[in-house]
Amino acid sequence: MRDVLGWRRVFGVMAPSTNTVVQPDFDDLRPPGVTNHIARIFTPDADAVSDDSFRAGIATIGGNVLDAVRSVVTCRPDHLIMGMSAVTFLDGVAGAEAFIRQVRDASGLDVTIGSHACAAALEAHGGVRRVAVLSPYWPVMNAGVARYLGERGHTVVRDLALRCPSWTGIARVTPAECRAALLRLDGDDVDAILQVGTNLSMLRLAAAAELFLGKPVIAINAATYWHALRSTGITDRVAGFGRLLEEF
């Protein structure tokens, strides 16, 4: 007998303990019969983040992921979702595949990760090769995203790191600031704009920006949840969150 609320799919989601955006975003995107269950990855908040402290923070999060995996599998989910992007981009495609293997070995389940989901989202739109990248992080992260996308056949034309001063500070970036960043990144030499960083609130703004920029604007939370749905056979179209969920 299926779970009475998650009668179609039960998703286990691993997210940093400092993240306050990914959980409500994923809940806004879930179709009927799909439920999300969050396991917190212990993440000390960090002040005065720099390239070096950012890498150190990612290492801490990466070291705590499997504890969250082992916790969330006790609710017997059908599929796992990594609700944090940085660890899935750093070290390129090989690093992403290694991360997936670690989670599968610990859980026995398939997992959706942000890097693969974003690449699949770009490919779903067709003809997207030149990309601009927006992140709330520091330049070292954007370099990791560019490396990963390059290995997947995309060129990062330009990028913008907002250099948020703490992990929790990411959730305080306003829609107006994000809109200004999108306008700085856009240009005729860009086929699509990709936003990474799951604690940056961009779900609805990205959908609106597709209308006023006239090109794909992909928020990582939308791409990740879309990929989890499609990977598990759920083809429902979800309106109001951009072309990806409405058309593909």
Side-chain angles (χ1 to χ4, degrees):
M1 183 176 176
R2 298 292 300 171
D3 186 283
V4 293
L5 296 182
W7 49 270
R8 297 171 77 190
R9 291 291 181 272
V10 172
F11 287 149
V13 180
M14 296 80 68
S17 56
T18 51
N19 190 308
T20 57
V21 169
V22 71
Q23 182 174 353
D25 273 5
F26 282 2
D27 281 344
D28 283 347
L29 296 173
R30 67 183 185 89
V34 178
T35 57
N36 306 318
H37 307 279
I38 307 295
R40 293 284 176 176
I41 305 164
F42 178 68
T43 308
D45 199 16
D47 293 323
V49 176
S50 65
D51 276 338
D52 290 341
S53 61
F54 179 83
R55 285 301 300 246
I58 294 305
T60 299
I61 295 169
N64 292 334
V65 166
L66 294 186
D67 285 340
V69 170
R70 285 186 283 266
S71 176
V72 81
V73 295
T74 61
C75 77
R76 299 191 179 182
D78 302 301
H79 186 82
L80 299 180
I81 306 174
M82 182 58 177
M84 192 265 190
S85 58
V87 296
T88 73
F89 281 103
L90 293 177
D91 302 320
V93 173
E97 290 296 329
F99 178 84
I100 288 172
R101 287 194 298 272
Q102 282 186 313
V103 174
R104 282 177 177 163
D105 289 346
S107 66
L109 296 171
D110 286 332
V111 57
T112 291
I113 63 172
S115 55
H116 284 5
C118 287
L122 292 171
E123 290 154 12
H125 283 86
V128 173
R129 289 292 174 264
R130 302 168 302 168
V131 181
V133 173
L134 172 63
S135 91
Y137 298 135
W138 287 68
V140 67
M141 178 67 235
N142 287 25
V145 175
R147 172 187 170 182
Y148 174 91
L149 292 177
E151 292 177 7
R152 293 294 298 258
H154 303 285
T155 299
V156 175
V157 175
R158 58 184 157 271
D159 68 274
L160 178 59
L162 296 178
R163 304 185 187 213
C164 291
S166 67
W167 297 111
T168 53
I170 295 169
R172 301 186 186 112
V173 178
T174 66
E177 291 172 306
C178 291
R179 182 180 183 276
L182 292 177
L183 293 174
R184 286 177 59 187
L185 287 167
D186 189 35
D188 292 339
D189 55 345
V190 170
D191 300 319
I193 299 175
L194 173 65
Q195 173 259 317
V196 300
T198 63
N199 204 26
L200 186 63
S201 182
M202 281 278 293
L203 202 61
R204 290 167 180 80
L205 176 61
E210 290 190 325
L211 301 178
F212 65 75
L213 296 180
K215 63 186 60 176
V217 180
I218 298 169
I220 191 166
N221 288 347
T224 303
Y225 205 79
W226 164 82
H227 196 265
L229 291 173
R230 301 299 181 258
S231 297
T232 57
I234 305 241
T235 59
D236 298 43
R237 283 2 185 202
V238 182
F241 299 101
R243 288 186 57 206
L244 186 66
L245 284 144
E246 291 178 355
E247 297 181 20
F248 303 110

